[in-house]
């Protein structure tokens, strides 16, 4: 997207009072004002005023050492900006995750280039400042606060480098100019003229190890640009929205943990879905539910032999041999412990608490995860990703488990923390596990045997029950859960999963009802948005609606829905989980992998380059 000039003096902010009690105002920045940089190990969020306000080291799911995003500057940040400025613009260098921000003051202009080098021994953040014209006085302020902004490290400043240690963590700042210390803050000030340049490097290391050596920032910049451009240039599908798809693919790649292949939902925690509410969740983990969507996006984009295979392999390792003990999410390395607790010292994003670390939903019963996993195995086989003995044994174990539990209530796609219910989408996804298992054996094995015949009967019985109990003839639509009189947006997935044809009258009426009841200003909400303080529109759901409209032949409506999602991206092409239509702001964690996956899938569907998640050849008419 084109750079957007922003008058910082007019940017709408919410005020935080300094926790030190001196009355100084602190600003809580809007979510859309951030950009993302990353290195395949972790990511950082960079505000357009030059402040890095969120960074977890050394992994996506590690403790944050910069946590101002969820608090104040005292909770950790690194700002590098002119002493006086009037406006900024920013952009990513084409086809990279290298962020450029230009600052203009009355005396001149500078450019700050922010990136995280790829392939270095230690994770690092590099900031290169270059004078563009005139003279500009630059100020740097770095406050490292480990353990989510609660713990000051032991800090030493020695001329042009600073060292911070606390417990297992070490961070070293290499500077081209003299640094000074003010309490726990590292400061610097310097003047730049046109064509002059200064490079700063912050490197992470183990607290018990020697200091990591400096790196060559310009060589690292060249290598990092080369890495991202080589990776994205493998995408060669033709689409009207090529720039948006390429940016979404790069963003998705930035959320893949290189060591394991796991894909996180988002690099942040506790960015609220609802202003002042308590729906603030930790998304820095890998969801089984998102597996099939992500896998197909990677396969359709041409990454089936690398990222898609590694994601499939991550899933198999995480689930191992006992599907009955499968969790809905895991850490990036596949480990299972995600105990939830509150960081009570953080005031929260725009004063919204609690700030949650970990996610208690990991232990919920959610039937849809079985369909997602079997779908992944089925799709992988069709994409030519090599099959394994573990896959075959796991398939049999999953369907045997689903046969036992599919009639039980669960917490649903949206991870409700209330009473378990018989959610229609959960039942349909459980049906998917049986359906794809049967197809897998029919297409890759003999398709015979008494056990397979039993699975065929089970598939038909499940389909019949869902159509009977999940459809309300009086309303003329499918409903959120058995016996409900309400809709939810997950019902848009029924035709996309191949449960019924998109032109089945029950599906058509359900889509039409969702358009009437869940759409506000062109964007789909998960639930009816009639509460006094509704959550934002769930952006992936609008892409699902566009998919359904396209499949129905309503091409103009589909394009309009999709372009509404494109219109709410920030100036860097990034999407959060939700969009608050009333306030015209992002809501929920950011950037959100599922939002970008849905964008990729819909754009490729419109271009005829998408793998369908199912057809209805094996679905009985009920």
């Amino acid at each position: 997207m084109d750079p957007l000039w922003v008058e910082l003096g007019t940017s709408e902010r919410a005020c935080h009072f300094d926790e030190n009690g001196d009355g100084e105002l602190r600003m809580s920045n809007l979510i859309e004002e951030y950009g993302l940089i990353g290195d395949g190990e972790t990511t950082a969020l960079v505000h357009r005023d030059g402040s890095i306000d969120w960074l977890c080291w050394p992994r996506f799911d590690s403790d944050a050492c910069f946590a101002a995003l969820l608090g104040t500057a005292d909770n950790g940040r690194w700002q590098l900006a002119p002493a006086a400025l009037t406006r900024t613009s920013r952009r990513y260098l084409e086809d990279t995750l290298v962020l450029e921000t230009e600052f203009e003051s009355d005396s001149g202009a500078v450019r700050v280039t922010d990136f995280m080098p790829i392939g270095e021994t230690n994770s690092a953040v590099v900031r290169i400042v270059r004078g563009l014209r005139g003279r500009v006085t630059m100020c740097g302020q770095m406050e490292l606060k480990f353990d989510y902004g609660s713990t000051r490290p032991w800090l030493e400043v020695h001329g042009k480098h600073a060292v911070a240690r606390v417990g297992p963590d070490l961070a070293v700042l290499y500077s081209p100019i003299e640094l000074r210390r003010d309490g726990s803050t590292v400061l610097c000030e310097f003047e730049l003229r046109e064509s002059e340049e200064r490079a700063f490097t912050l490197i992470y290391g183990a607290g018990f190890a020697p200091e990591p050596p400096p790196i060559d920032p310009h060589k690292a910049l060249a290598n990092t640009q080369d890495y991202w451009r080589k990776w994205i240039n493998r995408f060669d599908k033709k689409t009207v929205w090529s720039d948006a798809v390429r940016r979404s693919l790069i963003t998705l790649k930035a959320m893949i943990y290189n060591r394991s292949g796991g894909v996180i939902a988002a690099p942040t925690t506790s960015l609220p879905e609802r202003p002042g509410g308590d729906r603030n969740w930790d998304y820095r983990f890998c969801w089984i539910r998102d597996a099939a969507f992500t896998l197909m996006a990677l396969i359709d984009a041409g990454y089936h032999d690398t990222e898609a295979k590694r994601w499939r392999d991550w899933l198999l390792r995480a689930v191992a041999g006992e599907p009955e003990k499968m969790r809905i999410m895991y850490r990036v390395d596949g480990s299972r412990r995600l105990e939830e607790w509150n960081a009570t010292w953080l005031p929260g994003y725009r004063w919204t608490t609690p700030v949650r670390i970990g996610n208690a939903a990991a232990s919920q019963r959610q039937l849809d995860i079985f369909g997602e996993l079997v779908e992944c195995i089925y799709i992988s086989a069709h994409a030519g990703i090599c099959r394994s003995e573990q896959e075959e044994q796991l398939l049999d174990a999953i369907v045997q488990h689903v046969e036992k539990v599919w009639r039980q209530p669960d917490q649903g796609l949206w991870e409700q923390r209330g009473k378990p219910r018989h959610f229609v989408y959960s039942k349909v996804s459980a049906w998917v596990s049986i359906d794809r298992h049967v197809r897998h054996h029919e297409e890759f094995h003999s398709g015979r045997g008494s056990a397979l015949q039993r699975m065929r009967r089970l598939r038909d019985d499940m389909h019949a029950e869902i159509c009977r109990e999940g459809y309300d003839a009086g309303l003329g639509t499918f409903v959120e859960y058995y016996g409900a009189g309400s809709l939810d947006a997950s019902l848009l997935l029924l035709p996309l999963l191949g449960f019924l044809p998109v032109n089945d009258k029950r599906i058509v009426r359900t889509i039409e009802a969702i358009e009437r009841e869940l759409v506000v200003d062109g964007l789909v909400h998960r639930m009816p948005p009639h509460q006094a303080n509704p959550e934002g529109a769930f952006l992936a759901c609008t892409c699902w609606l566009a998919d359904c409209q396209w499949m129905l032949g309503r091409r103009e409506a589909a394009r309009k829905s999709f372009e509404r999602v494109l219109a709410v991206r920030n100036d860097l092409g990034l999407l959060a989980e939700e969009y608050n239509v009333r306030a015209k702001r992002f809501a929920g964690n950011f950037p959100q992998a599922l939002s970008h996956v849905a964008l990729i899938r819909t754009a490729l569907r419109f271009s005829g380059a998408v793998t369908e998640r199912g057809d209805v050849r094996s679905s009985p008419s009920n």
Side-chain angles (χ1 to χ4, degrees):
M1 303 181 73
D2 292 334
L4 175 68
W5 280 105
V6 178
E7 299 286 344
L8 289 182
T10 63
S11 178
E12 185 178 355
R13 306 280 182 93
C15 295
H16 279 177
F17 286 98
D18 191 311
E19 294 181 331
N20 294 326
D22 60 9
E24 182 182 353
L25 294 178
R26 302 296 188 193
M27 301 299 177
S28 179
N29 300 313
L30 301 179
I31 297 170
E32 55 267 27
E33 294 175 342
Y34 285 96
L36 180 80
I37 57 175
D39 61 2
E41 304 284 327
T42 188
T43 59
L45 292 187
V46 185
H47 189 259
R48 65 187 180 200
D49 69 2
S51 182
I52 298 177
D53 289 346
W54 183 253
L55 171 61
C56 299
W57 252 345
R59 303 192 326 189
F60 294 106
D61 54 356
S62 297
D63 297 357
C65 61
F66 294 143
L69 176 72
L70 301 177
T72 72
D74 191 51
N75 297 117
R77 69 166 184 172
W78 182 11
Q79 185 163 39
L80 189 60
L85 57 92
T86 57
R87 61 179 187 168
T88 68
S89 71
R90 60 183 183 172
R91 63 169 187 165
Y92 284 116
L93 289 181
E94 186 177 4
D95 284 343
T96 76
L97 204 66
V98 176
L99 180 63
E100 286 189 340
T101 306
E102 292 188 10
F103 298 92
E104 184 172 304
S105 69
D106 292 339
S107 62
V110 297
R111 178 190 300 126
V112 178
T113 301
D114 290 314
F115 66 99
M116 298 187 73
I118 302 290
E120 296 290 341
T121 303
N122 294 76
S123 183
V125 175
V126 177
R127 316 193 75 178
I128 301 174
V129 192
R130 182 176 180 83
L132 300 179
R133 59 184 175 274
R135 293 184 178 182
V136 178
T137 299
M138 296 291 295
C139 294
Q141 298 182 350
M142 187 178 71
E143 180 88 20
L144 280 160
K145 278 290 187 67
F146 292 85
D147 192 21
Y148 299 101
S150 69
T151 304
R152 287 186 177 132
W154 175 258
L155 179 64
E156 298 177 358
V157 176
H158 306 287
K160 295 182 179 180
H161 88 290
V163 183
R165 293 180 189 267
V166 57
D169 301 305
L170 165 70
V172 181
L173 175 63
Y174 290 100
S175 166
I177 60 172
E178 294 289 321
L179 302 170
R180 60 188 177 87
R181 173 180 174 177
D182 181 8
S184 60
T185 305
V186 179
L187 302 169
C188 68
E189 185 174 314
F190 57 98
E191 185 178 84
L192 275 184
R193 294 182 173 89
E194 183 175 344
S195 300
E196 291 182 337
E197 200 168 77
R198 302 286 187 272
F200 299 80
T201 305
L202 182 65
I203 306 178
Y204 179 85
F208 50 81
E211 297 174 17
I215 62 175
D216 182 332
H218 296 95
K219 181 179 178 181
L221 175 60
N223 290 342
T224 300
Q225 291 182 79
D226 186 58
Y227 170 87
W228 286 110
R229 286 171 176 155
K230 283 183 177 178
W231 187 84
I232 194 60
N233 282 337
R234 291 165 53 196
F235 173 71
D236 59 359
K237 303 296 172 62
K238 302 298 182 184
T239 170
V240 175
W241 302 277
S242 178
D243 289 345
V245 173
R246 292 170 80 90
R247 177 51 52 196
S248 288
L249 281 167
I250 289 172
T251 305
L252 182 61
K253 173 63 172 171
M255 289 186 271
I256 298 176
Y257 185 55
N258 278 344
R259 294 175 188 263
S260 69
V263 185
I264 61 168
T268 56
T269 179
S270 299
L271 294 180
E273 298 172 6
R274 180 180 299 142
D278 62 356
R279 294 184 60 82
N280 320 322
W281 316 116
D282 193 345
Y283 275 20
R284 298 171 300 146
F285 309 115
C286 305
W287 261 253
I288 296 293
R289 168 180 303 115
D290 298 343
F293 289 107
T294 304
L295 187 73
M296 284 186 296
L298 292 169
I299 288 173
D300 290 339
Y303 297 93
H304 64 281
D305 58 339
T306 50
E307 281 73 19
K309 181 181 183 300
R310 297 192 72 224
W311 178 223
R312 191 282 311 265
D313 292 345
W314 181 94
L315 290 165
L316 294 178
R317 289 195 305 272
V319 175
E322 296 182 285
E324 66 275 11
K325 296 182 180 179
M326 192 162 73
R327 295 200 155 205
I328 73 164
M329 70 186 87
Y330 295 83
R331 291 193 175 275
V332 294
D333 59 1
S335 55
R336 304 166 60 88
R337 298 299 180 188
L338 284 77
E339 284 77 6
E340 185 178 298
W341 55 277
N342 295 341
T344 55
W345 58 88
L346 286 172
Y349 174 78
R350 299 176 76 82
W351 297 114
T352 301
T353 58
V355 173
R356 291 184 170 97
I357 309 301
N359 200 313
S363 58
Q364 287 182 350
R365 179 194 299 127
Q366 294 186 11
L367 297 176
D368 60 306
I369 61 176
F370 303 110
E372 293 292 333
L373 185 56
V374 175
E375 181 86 294
C376 281
I377 294 173
Y378 179 72
I379 292 168
S380 297
H382 271 271
I385 297 174
C386 58
R387 290 146 53 200
S388 68
E389 181 180 349
Q390 181 190 1
E391 278 186 334
E392 301 302 324
Q393 293 184 9
L394 188 59
L395 274 174
D396 292 337
I398 289 172
V399 297
Q400 290 170 21
H401 181 64
V402 171
E403 187 177 17
K404 297 174 185 176
V405 303
W406 76 273
R407 282 197 164 95
Q408 296 179 9
D410 73 344
Q411 307 304 135
L413 174 67
W414 310 125
E415 299 168 11
Q416 307 284 358
R417 294 203 174 187
K419 178 183 176 181
R421 298 185 182 276
H422 296 280
F423 289 99
V424 171
Y425 174 75
S426 296
K427 302 298 187 187
V428 169
S429 194
W431 171 88
V432 166
S433 69
I434 305 302
D435 176 69
R436 304 309 193 262
H437 171 75
V438 170
R439 293 195 201 183
H440 184 83
H441 277 270
E442 289 173 343
E443 296 170 23
F444 296 101
H445 301 285
S446 66
R448 295 190 295 271
S450 58
L452 191 60
Q453 188 57 35
R454 189 178 82 251
M455 289 299 113
R456 292 191 181 101
R457 290 194 298 270
L458 175 61
R459 178 180 64 181
D460 293 349
D461 291 345
M462 294 172 73
H463 200 278
E465 178 182 299
I466 296 166
C467 289
R468 183 177 66 250
E469 302 296 338
Y471 179 79
D472 188 307
L475 296 173
T477 70
F478 283 94
V479 291
E480 180 184 3
Y481 54 85
Y482 289 2
S486 57
L487 296 162
D488 89 280
S490 67
L491 299 171
L492 292 167
L493 293 171
L494 269 59
L496 303 182
L497 294 173
F499 181 74
L500 283 171
V502 71
N503 58 1
D504 182 284
K505 64 181 180 180
R506 293 163 293 185
I507 294 294
V508 172
R509 289 171 181 169
T510 300
I511 294 169
E512 291 172 346
I514 287 172
E515 290 176 312
R516 289 193 306 271
E517 299 179 26
L518 302 188
V519 175
V520 177
D521 194 18
L523 296 172
V524 180
H525 290 68
R526 293 188 288 188
M527 307 291 177
H530 302 309
Q531 309 120 8
N533 187 24
E535 68 177 26
F538 199 84
L539 294 173
C541 294
T542 305
C543 290
W544 300 343
L545 174 61
D547 292 336
C548 291
Q549 292 167 330
W550 186 269
M551 292 166 64
L552 282 168
R554 298 170 53 195
R555 301 300 169 86
E556 184 176 348
R559 288 192 181 93
K560 184 176 179 180
S561 295
F562 182 55
E563 289 174 354
R564 184 70 181 95
V565 174
L566 296 178
V568 304
R569 293 173 300 154
N570 75 357
D571 54 304
L572 295 173
L574 303 180
L575 290 168
E577 179 183 29
E578 299 180 4
Y579 184 78
N580 187 313
V581 175
R582 182 184 301 172
K584 300 188 185 322
R585 296 173 182 163
F586 281 160
N589 284 303
F590 169 86
Q592 176 82 355
L594 186 58
S595 298
H596 286 280
V597 165
L599 185 157
I600 295 164
R601 292 272 297 155
T602 301
L604 293 181
R605 180 186 299 280
F606 289 6
S607 305
V610 73
T611 301
E612 297 295 349
R613 287 199 59 178
D615 57 44
V616 295
R617 289 173 296 171
S618 59
S619 302
S621 298
N622 291 297

